[in-house]
Amino acid sequence: QVSVALKEGRVTPTELCQRCLSLIKSTKFLNAYVTIAEESALKQAEASEERYKRGQPLGVLDGIPIAVKDNFNTAGIETTCASNMLRGYISPYNATVVQKLLDQGAVLLGKTNLDEFAMGSGSTDGVFGPVRNPWSYSRQYKEKSVPKSHSEDKESNWVITGGSSGGSAAAVSSFTCFAALGSDTGGSTRNPAAHCGVVGLKPTYGLMSRHGLIPLVNSMDVPGILTRCVDDAAVVLGSLAGHDPKDSTTIQDNFKPFELPDLTDVSKLSIGIPQEYHVPGMSSEILALWSKAADLFQSAGAKVVEVSLPHTRYSIVCYHVLCTAEVASNMARFDGLEYGHRSDTNESTESMYAATRREGFNDVVRGRILSGNYFLLKQNYEKYFIKAQKVRRLIANDFVKVFRSGVDVLLTPTTLSDAAPYVEFIKEDNRTRSAQDDILTQAANMAGLPAISVPTALSERGLPVGLQFIGRSFQEQQLLTVAKWFEKQVQFPMIQLEEVKRHDHDVFQDQKSTSFS
Amino acid sequence: LAPWVPVVGLEIHAQISSNSKLFSGSQVQFAAPPNSLVSFFDASLPGTLPVLNRRCVEAAVMTGLALNCSINKKSLFDRKHYFYADLPAGYQITQQRVPIAVNGSLSYSLCIDNKMNQMVTKTVRIKQIQLEQDSGKSLHDDTRSQTLVDLNRAGVGLMEVVMEPDMCCGEEAAAAVRELQLILQTLGSSQAVMAEGQLRVDANISVHHPGEPYGVRTEVKNISSMRFLAKAVDYEIQRQIEELENGGTILNETRAFDSKLGCTVPMRDKEGKQDYRFMPEPNLPPLILYDTKSLPANMNHQQVINIDWIHERLPDLPSVKREKLVEQYGILPEHSFTLLNEDGLAEFFENVVKQTQMKPKKVIGWILQDLLSYLKQHSLSVKESPVSSFLLADLLNLLEKKEISSTAAKQVLAELWKGEGKTPLEIVKERKLQQLQDQKELEQICQAVIDGQENEVIMVVLG
């Protein structure tokens, strides 16, 4: 709708851009952004305005403010991965997906915060500090939370965004942009999407280019899309998907952008409920919601079946081996020689490497590198890495079997519970949290399948809960169609942010439509 | 003393002759200004991905076919991890699990006892050929305690050719490498100039008694010419024999050849045994090659490589060229070796033959003795010869027509070397070297000589 507004001249790109920029400033306490590219954004907005004036917008995305997770390369703009290792690193090139957005006329507002090098499920472990979930400041949450004592700092029970694309999720959730790019390796787009009440799409591996995305696990990473509604996600996907000669893992087939039909009849649909996703530690609220959703499909005429993905319980361990091994390999390039942080140590090249890497990486990254190298040692390779690859194949086959049996889409929760308060979350270390939080999301990464988290309802604490749909390889159209239908049924409430209200009524009005398509 | 059997295997890295690098688009060029040919990928900038260079794959397939290898229709890429200043990514992309070509052979010839007319043919098995990235160069500046890194070479495509330990001495190793070099140059898959680092050889050497298992081997690196290769191998064999005969043991180590001292020395052992933590390269799908049978019907020609197509277009290999020279011109096999051994000499020879009536069997003598020895004396390549094939042919025609004697011809040739631009005929006239054909004239001259030397004539007549 905002796109229409731009076209009709009700609002101009520069106005839109400026409003977003000032909203970013007034929501600074969320710590969603690492870098704000004010000057270049305004220039892009001006250029867009020119095009609209001439009646020649580049497309639906022309003039739309977006944000990009800080592990994507953006030419001329600092790209840090929330790490000391890349502080001050100015990318000399644009990631392909960033370039595509810019080519469509989108306005890049800035880079969003994350867990260091995308390792984490809270967006709490980056060098710029944790990201705060905008819902912490919503009326819905505040109404439900009981202040423990009068003198208690109102701010101390803020909740996390989830991770690792927490900054992007928070940015979209707080209306500072209309869409954001995240990345998804084990759930890093879907997890924060669920906690922040936005749509988080993980495309099929090989559909979108990873050129320019600083890798975590090359064989599982994908760029993720965060938006306020499913239609918007489809629009962004349409402009980003397709073969990239610079990325040899993208498929060669021509990709055709699609429009999402408004599904009315779900009777031909078969929804699978994987029994293994009923894991211990899942909140009863989420279980209830999951059940309710299944019932919703059933009463609307869809076939809802319980299915089995028997190797689910091995996925966390398998993921841990493969992920750390690739991390150890991918992080080997950070030696302080060509770019990034370099330690002052002068004694020898080796001591310089060691000091640089100790200073540049946080504990989480270093821990994964050490584990990964352990698994890659000659004497361990067969036992761990090869074994894990075989298990990965089994996990992927589980999905193949289920889809072959006639199931169209799987329905699962995205997270085990609603967002935890920061002070609770940090009581456990990153590895423990990741292992817990990734359990529902990372099998899709192992199998390369598309998956989407759709905001479903508010929890008892007034925080968003999302449910996840997992689809067949390269069947994003079907997946998003189902997701869109579901979105319409549940009518997830809009966040009521005082800061936003106070700031600019007009912005709120425009953005009430929560979509730009 | 029981005899010793030396065993020599070789690992040869040949730089692929291509416009751009193996996985990136930056240019390949020798001696360019430092760090001027480095793409984002070569510098390992985060987020960059490898894209396989088609030409490099073709070069490896050509080489594999020329060395009688089986070409693997599916081969894989791996990462080999180690930290070094000239390896920006902290790993090299190579083919450890399944290389592009395996199980080939190379035939080469040796002269027995340095006699050119006694040549023997030997074969060495080729274990495999793999594609991999070259590293950058690091220059250690000890005076300023710094290391300078030039990444121009980082990422250039290499073919590693592994020769099984079928060789027994420096001479064999050098001859095998020489033949490989000629093959690579003929194919054009590598320019294979050792001096420019386009061909690097590491030798694996061990000794054992006949009937016993192979001994511990050492690896010898830092060999910068063919001549040094033979020296290094022979030195190391000798060193090992002496060591063992004195009751010592051979360490499984890497040694460097010191060309000044003519010996091998242990290399600074930094980390003991290296564990390279091999891992599949996740950013490159398996490399699939096709042949005419397996080629899918509507495949985009740009996207596939057809092994048969390449096979059909292979040029004549050196061994075939030699055979043809012997057959066509009636020269000896050892002549054909020398002709092919000098860059451009075979061509020169054939050009002369084309332009002269003199029989090739006679021409060859002038080429191999007069021309070649002169060039060697003055360290000139055939290309740099002041005497062109045209001029030499011209001269040989004069000789063939008996207008000059062969002694005179040599004198004219000596004059031609000066490169003053005179034709053979001009020199002949200048120096009055014309052979007299006229019987009568000759008789007159002889008579005049006899008449002028009365005493000597009487002495001769009297016996």
Side-chain angles (χ1 to χ4, degrees), chain A residues 361-496:
Chain A
F361 291 138
N362 71 3
D363 285 349
V364 179
V365 177
R366 298 213 308 273
R368 292 200 195 187
I369 292 173
L370 287 169
S371 305
N373 277 326
Y374 176 78
F375 297 132
L376 289 177
L377 288 176
K378 219 172 180 174
Q379 72 248 36
N380 296 329
Y381 186 72
E382 188 81 26
K383 212 174 14 162
Y384 292 101
F385 189 86
I386 297 282
K387 209 54 174 296
Q389 284 199 310
K390 290 180 178 170
V391 175
R392 181 177 178 178
R393 174 62 61 196
L394 291 174
I395 292 169
N397 282 344
D398 278 356
F399 285 99
V400 170
K401 285 198 196 114
V402 162
F403 284 127
R404 210 177 278 160
S405 75
V407 168
D408 296 306
V409 155
L410 295 168
L411 169 64
T412 80
T414 312
T415 56
L416 294 176
S417 67
D418 57 5
Y422 177 70
V423 292
E424 288 295 318
F425 185 80
I426 53 172
K427 282 189 183 158
E428 296 277 9
D429 66 64
N430 183 294
R431 192 159 76 84
T432 310
R433 286 295 182 208
S434 296
Q436 293 164 346
D437 299 332
D438 285 347
I439 196 148
L440 300 168
T441 46
Q442 49 94 310
N445 297 86
M446 298 272 254
L449 297 171
I452 185 169
S453 177
V454 180
T456 306
L458 293 182
S459 70
E460 267 174 28
R461 287 160 65 213
L463 293 172
V465 170
L467 289 179
Q468 171 179 239
F469 294 94
I470 304 174
R472 298 170 198 233
S473 261
F474 301 106
Q475 300 303 313
E476 272 77 357
Q477 183 166 15
Q478 179 181 59
L479 178 69
L480 290 171
T481 302
V482 173
K484 180 173 169 178
W485 180 87
F486 183 71
E487 178 187 58
K488 200 166 173 199
Q489 306 305 310
V490 299
Q491 300 276 311
F492 182 79
M494 194 187 321
I495 185 175
Q496 284 160 20

Side-chain angles (χ1 to χ4, degrees), chain A residues 42-356:
Chain A
L42 285 168
K43 278 210 194 87
Q44 287 160 11
E46 278 162 20
S48 172
E49 197 157 312
E50 277 303 302
R51 290 190 290 268
Y52 273 106
K53 278 197 189 130
R54 290 200 308 265
Q56 295 170 337
L58 292 166
V60 172
L61 291 175
D62 201 338
I64 302 291
I66 54 149
V68 166
K69 187 174 179 182
D70 208 15
N71 59 354
F72 284 89
N73 275 277
T74 44
I77 300 173
E78 197 176 345
T79 301
T80 65
C81 295
S83 174
N84 276 324
M85 191 56 95
L86 288 176
R87 238 178 160 146
Y89 175 72
I90 310 280
S91 314
Y93 70 101
N94 277 324
T96 297
V97 290
V98 171
Q99 189 63 52
K100 282 186 166 178
L101 287 173
L102 294 174
D103 288 344
Q104 289 285 307
V107 174
L108 178 59
L109 296 172
K111 309 298 288 299
T112 58
N113 205 350
L114 59 155
D115 282 304
E116 180 160 339
F117 278 110
M119 300 185 203
S121 58
S123 303
T124 53
D125 284 327
V127 291
F128 300 109
V131 184
R132 298 186 183 199
N133 193 328
W135 284 83
S136 315
Y137 304 96
S138 67
R139 191 156 63 79
Q140 290 106 325
Y141 177 63
K142 287 184 189 166
E143 273 173 4
K144 298 288 179 81
S145 61
V146 179
K148 296 207 174 67
S149 76
H150 196 65
S151 59
E152 188 191 64
D153 182 357
K154 209 171 37 154
E155 304 269 290
S156 70
N157 64 346
W158 57 269
V159 298
I160 58 164
T161 51
S164 60
S165 312
S168 283
V172 174
S173 173
S174 61
F175 301 103
T176 58
C177 65
F178 287 80
L181 286 183
S183 65
D184 197 314
T185 306
S188 293
T189 290
R190 291 160 286 156
N191 176 296
H195 285 316
C196 294
V198 297
V199 170
L201 170 63
K202 174 211 170 295
T204 311
Y205 182 88
L207 185 62
M208 279 171 60
S209 172
R210 289 182 299 111
H211 169 77
L213 166 61
I214 298 175
L216 178 59
V217 184
N218 284 294
S219 64
M220 298 187 206
D221 290 351
V222 291
I225 296 171
L226 294 132
T227 54
R228 289 197 278 278
C229 70
V230 177
D231 271 326
D232 288 355
V235 170
V236 177
L237 178 69
S239 66
L240 294 182
H243 176 64
D244 183 8
K246 296 195 190 112
D247 179 352
S248 308
T249 61
T250 53
I251 48 153
Q252 306 269 353
D253 308 348
N254 284 322
F255 173 78
K256 293 192 199 84
F258 48 80
E259 258 202 49
L260 287 181
D262 263 312
L263 193 63
T264 42
D265 174 25
V266 295
S267 58
K268 296 202 190 70
L269 217 54
S270 172
I271 307 287
I273 310 288
Q275 63 195 44
E276 291 84 2
Y277 278 57
H278 188 134
V279 294
M282 188 173 286
S283 78
S284 47
E285 262 189 317
I286 295 208
L287 274 171
L289 220 55
W290 189 14
S291 191
K292 220 168 153 188
D295 292 340
L296 184 68
F297 275 100
Q298 191 148 46
S299 32
K303 186 167 157 217
V304 178
V305 287
E306 215 186 63
V307 295
S308 174
L309 298 169
H311 296 94
T312 302
R313 59 198 165 110
Y314 303 117
S315 63
I316 286 285
V317 162
C318 174
Y319 176 72
H320 180 76
V321 172
L322 296 177
C323 171
T324 53
E326 283 215 38
V327 164
S329 178
N330 290 331
M331 297 297 147
R333 65 185 58 208
F334 295 105
D335 53 20
L337 279 184
E338 303 86 10
Y339 48 83
H341 174 68
R342 186 199 281 208
S343 165
D344 287 328
T345 314
N346 249 322
E347 294 151 30
S348 69
T349 315
E350 265 144 26
S351 62
M352 192 274 281
Y353 281 173
T356 295

